[in-house]
Amino acid sequence: MASLTVLFGVAGLLALAAAIVPKLVADRPFSVPLVMLIAGIGLGLLPLPAPYGNGWSDPAAHLQGVESFSQLGILVALAGAGLSVDRPFGLKRWGSTWRLLALTMPLSILAIAVLGYWWLALAPGVALLLAAALAPTDPVLAGDVGVPHPDVEPELARDNEIRFTLTTEAGLNDGLAMPFVLLGLALAGREPHLDVSWVLMDLLLPVATGVVIGLAAGRGLGWAIFHTSSDRLRLAEYADGLVLLALAFLPYALAEVVHGNGFVAVFVAAVTVRTLEREHEYHGVLHAFGHQLERLFVPLVLLGLGLAIGDGLLLGLRPLEVVIAVLAVLVVRPLVGWVSLLGSSAGRPATMAIAFFGVRGIGTLYYLAYALNRLPIPQQDVLWRVGALAVAVSVLVHGILAEPAIQRIERMGGHLPAR
C-alpha cells in the first residue's frame, strides 16, 4: 500500500511537471525529456519503495508493464504524427523518407548487429534483437525536431524537409522494426524455422496488411469525422479530442486481429484522415489533445528510465557496451543516413541534420520488453544496459542540440528541399 501511495504521489507531481516544465525550458538549450530523465535518475538514487517489492532496476520484474505502457505511448504518438503530415503522398515527395526506411534502417541494423556479435559476443539472434530495438527513431521524443501541426505552422509542416522527413520516418519505422525483431527472435530460439513461406507470411505480409488496414480504417474514420450526412454523428462538429484515441486504437486492433502490423496501420490511417480533409479546424482539436497526452507520456517514460538507471540498471556496464550505445546513436545512424541521402532532393544542411537527429526512445524500450516477454534470453542484462544507455545518450545529445541546430538551418533556408 505504501508503494502504491508513493506511485500516486509521483503521478501527481508528473502531471504538474508536464504542465510546468515545458514553459521553464522554453528557449533554453535543453529539452523536457532531458529534464525528466535527470529528475528520474535523482529519484532513483533515493530509497523509494518499488512496486511489489521489486527493484526499479530489474526490467525482468516489469516487462509486461514496460511493454504495455510504451505500446500505448507509441500508438498515441503515431496518430499525432500522422495527422501532422500535410505534404501529399508520393514517391518523389517522400523521397528522403523512403531512403531512410529502405537503406538507413536495414544497414544500421546490420552494422549494430555485427558490432554486438563481434564485440559483445552475443549470439547472432540476440545481436539482431539488440540492433532491431535500437533501429526505430521515436515519434514521442522527437518532438523538438518533428513537424508542428499544420494548423499552427503550415509552412513547416509542408515544406520543411528536415522536420517532415524525421516525422514520417519516425511514424513508419516503429512498425517496420517488427520484422527484424521477429527474425531475431526466430534466430535466438532453439528451433529456428526460417523458410521462404515463413518470411513471406510472418515478416512481409503483416506490413502490407497493416498498410491496407490503415488505408481502409483511415477512410472510414475520415468519413465519420468529416463527411457523414448527420450533424449529430459528424464527429468534427464536436470539439472532442477523444477521437484521437479511436484513431490510435481502432486501426491497431483491426490490423492485429488479421495478423497485420498495427503500428504501420495507425500511422497510415492518421495520414489518410489528414489527406481526406486538410483544412478543417477540427485537426487542431485532435492535435491539441494528442500533444497533451504526449506531454504526459514523455515524463512518465523518461522518469521510469531515470529511476531504473539511478537504481542501478547500468551496474556492470562494460566499456564496449558504452562504445556500442554511443556508436549506434552518434556514428552509425548519422553516417549511414548521410550516405543514404546522397543525391536526394534534400540540400546538404538538411541531409546532415536528418542523418544526425535519429532520436531513440520509447520504441527501443518497447521492442526490448516485447522480445524478452516472449523469449527469455541469458544476456538480457546486456540488452537493457545498451538500450537504456543509447536512449539516455540520444535524449542528452539530441535534446541539447536539436532545436538550436534546426532553427539555425531554417534561418539559413537550408531546410527547404532542392528544386
Side-chain angles (χ1 to χ4, degrees), residues 137-160:
T137 53
D138 202 287
V140 177
L141 300 182
D144 288 334
V145 293
V147 152
H149 195 268
D151 292 341
V152 180
E153 298 181 73
E155 70 284 353
L156 286 185
R158 184 169 50 252
D159 300 326
N160 190 303

Side-chain angles (χ1 to χ4, degrees), residues 46 50 54 146 189 249 264 271 302 408 415:
L46 301 175
N54 298 313
F249 299 156
V264 170
V271 172
L302 270 297
R408 181 175 181 180
H415 62 291

Side-chain angles (χ1 to χ4, degrees), residues 21-375:
V21 172
K23 298 175 178 61
L24 296 178
V25 302
D27 301 322
R28 289 177 171 81
F30 45 86
S31 64
V32 174
L34 177 57
V35 172
M36 298 314 299
L37 177 67
I38 294 173
I41 293 174
L43 288 175
L45 295 173
L46 301 175
L48 296 176
Y52 313 113
N54 298 313
W56 292 103
S57 63
D58 181 13
H62 313 293
L63 281 179
Q64 190 59 55
V66 172
E67 180 183 347
S68 299
F69 188 81
S70 57
Q71 180 184 39
L72 183 61
I74 291 173
L75 292 177
V76 171
L78 290 177
L83 289 174
S84 296
V85 175
D86 202 39
R87 184 182 298 184
F89 179 83
L91 292 177
K92 185 175 181 180
R93 295 187 186 99
W94 289 44
S96 297
T97 303
W98 304 138
R99 286 169 176 256
L100 292 178
L101 297 174
L103 297 175
T104 303
M105 184 177 180
L107 291 176
S108 297
I109 291 175
L110 176 62
I112 297 169
V114 169
L115 292 177
Y117 174 76
W118 183 25
W119 285 352
L120 300 181
L122 298 175
V126 178
L128 180 56
L129 280 176
L130 174 62
L134 290 174
T137 53
D138 202 287
V140 177
L141 300 182
D144 288 334
V145 293
V147 152
H149 195 268
D151 292 341
V152 180
E153 298 181 73
E155 70 284 353
L156 286 185
R158 184 169 50 252
D159 300 326
N160 190 303
E161 188 71 8
I162 301 171
R163 296 179 187 266
F164 170 82
T165 301
L166 291 172
T167 298
T168 50
E169 179 203 12
L172 286 168
N173 67 10
D174 271 316
L176 295 179
M178 180 61 80
F180 296 96
V181 171
L182 295 177
L183 181 58
L185 284 172
L187 290 173
R190 295 181 180 179
E191 299 179 1
H193 48 286
L194 303 179
D195 53 40
V196 175
S197 63
W198 180 81
V199 171
L200 291 175
M201 298 301 294
D202 287 66
L203 298 188
L204 301 182
L205 183 60
V207 175
T209 303
V211 172
V212 173
I213 294 295
L215 288 170
R219 291 188 69 85
L221 287 169
W223 174 83
I225 293 171
F226 299 110
H227 300 307
T228 182
S229 57
S230 171
D231 291 345
R232 293 192 176 187
L233 297 179
R234 193 180 308 126
L235 299 174
E237 300 297 325
Y238 306 94
D240 194 340
L242 287 173
V243 174
L244 180 80
L245 296 181
L247 186 56
F249 299 156
L250 285 177
Y252 179 84
L254 291 172
E256 292 292 323
V257 164
V258 296
H259 195 56
N261 190 310
F263 288 161
V264 170
V266 172
F267 183 74
V268 171
V271 172
T272 302
V273 169
R274 181 73 197 184
T275 301
L276 289 175
E277 181 60 62
R278 296 187 184 279
E279 306 300 331
H280 201 288
E281 62 184 12
Y282 184 62
H283 284 297
V285 175
L286 295 177
H287 172 69
F289 183 73
H291 185 60
Q292 286 183 324
L293 290 179
E294 288 179 22
R295 283 171 57 190
L296 184 60
F297 278 116
V298 167
L300 284 172
V301 171
L302 270 297
L303 190 93
L305 179 62
L307 277 171
I309 292 175
D311 195 43
L313 177 62
L314 299 184
L315 290 178
L317 187 68
R318 295 177 290 166
L320 282 178
E321 294 172 5
V322 176
V323 171
I324 288 182
V326 173
L327 284 178
V329 176
L330 302 182
V331 177
V332 173
R333 156 66 190 222
L335 180 60
V336 178
W338 178 74
V339 172
S340 300
L341 291 170
L342 288 176
S344 70
S345 62
R348 183 177 177 182
T351 293
M352 295 178 65
I354 292 168
F356 182 75
F357 290 111
V359 185
R360 266 56 180 180
I362 193 170
T364 294
L365 303 179
Y366 169 77
Y367 277 117
L368 286 176
Y370 175 92
L372 297 175
N373 250 334
R374 285 150 183 81
L375 182 68

